[in-house]
Amino acid sequence: MSASLVGSEMCIRDRIKGEKMNENNVNTDLYPKMFTWLFIGLLVTFATGYALTTNIDMMLNVLSIGVLPIAIAEIVIAIILGVRLEKMNPITTKILYIGYAILTGLTFSTIFIYFEMASLISIFIITAVIFGLLAFYGYVTKKDLTKLGTIIFIGLIGIVIGELLNWLIFKNATLDLGITIIGVLIFVGYIAYDVNRIKYMVGYIGEEKAAVYGAFQLYLDFINLFIRLLPVS
């Protein structure tokens, strides 16, 4: 999931720098549309994951293809969205977004097995509260968060590398905890940054695609934050 965000960021972040615009030119419908699509994506993911757990045989058959192919498919979708966003049909953007949410839901089916529903609900609420506070800050702040974007992007690459090294080589619980804490801080920063920057994308991709792509970015932020808060449940 972190790798998907890296792929998406590498494709889109440089183009946004040249699209600074007057905030008054942003249609007030942008943010309601974006958060509606965010809700749809999260609903699809959690519904897919839960639905699979009601049929264990189906879940095992689906997951038998392995997590790696699913992860690769997610990264490919993220890169395609970033690279082809300007020329992409809005309908295609929506299809890819929902497709990504379904793929994530397939892997999320396992969390409904390993964690109690009460714990999942409590972590979801905590994630939603944190997300809401940082999204509100990103929406109302007049500060330019461009510099924050550079810092958290470097941090994002760092935790992806750290996770891979710890998974393949170190297998250290303390290091894993440290990466988790840093990851929480990074994705908290990304929430404010992504909400703040979405208005700069309208000028070159249009409101409809900006709403869907903005929802996709915030979806990645929410899911990554949720995953990193799960161990505390």
Side-chain angles (χ1 to χ4, degrees), residues 57-135:
D57 289 336
M58 181 183 294
M59 184 183 75
L60 293 176
N61 288 332
V62 170
L63 295 180
S64 64
I65 64 176
V67 174
L68 184 59
I70 296 176
I72 292 174
E74 289 176 327
I75 294 172
V76 169
I77 290 176
I79 292 175
I80 290 174
L81 279 171
V83 172
R84 301 292 300 172
L85 188 60
E86 293 175 70
K87 298 180 180 180
M88 189 178 294
N89 186 291
I91 295 177
T92 305
T93 307
K94 295 171 185 176
I95 291 173
L96 288 174
Y97 171 52
I98 295 302
Y100 188 100
I102 292 173
L103 288 173
T104 303
L106 298 181
T107 57
F108 256 48
S109 61
T110 57
I111 71 171
F112 290 98
I113 301 296
Y114 293 124
F115 295 90
E116 294 182 358
M117 184 60 70
S119 296
L120 293 176
I121 292 174
S122 63
I123 293 300
F124 184 90
I125 292 174
I126 292 172
T127 304
V129 170
I130 295 173
F131 181 93
L133 292 173
L134 271 297

Side-chain angles (χ1 to χ4, degrees), residues 35-70:
F35 286 111
T36 297
W37 276 107
L38 171 62
F39 174 78
I40 291 173
L42 292 173
L43 181 62
V44 168
T45 292
F46 284 94
T48 300
Y50 181 75
L52 273 182
T53 61
T54 62
N55 190 325
I56 299 299
D57 289 336
M58 181 183 294
M59 184 183 75
L60 293 176
N61 288 332
V62 170
L63 295 180
S64 64
I65 64 176
V67 174
L68 184 59
I70 296 176

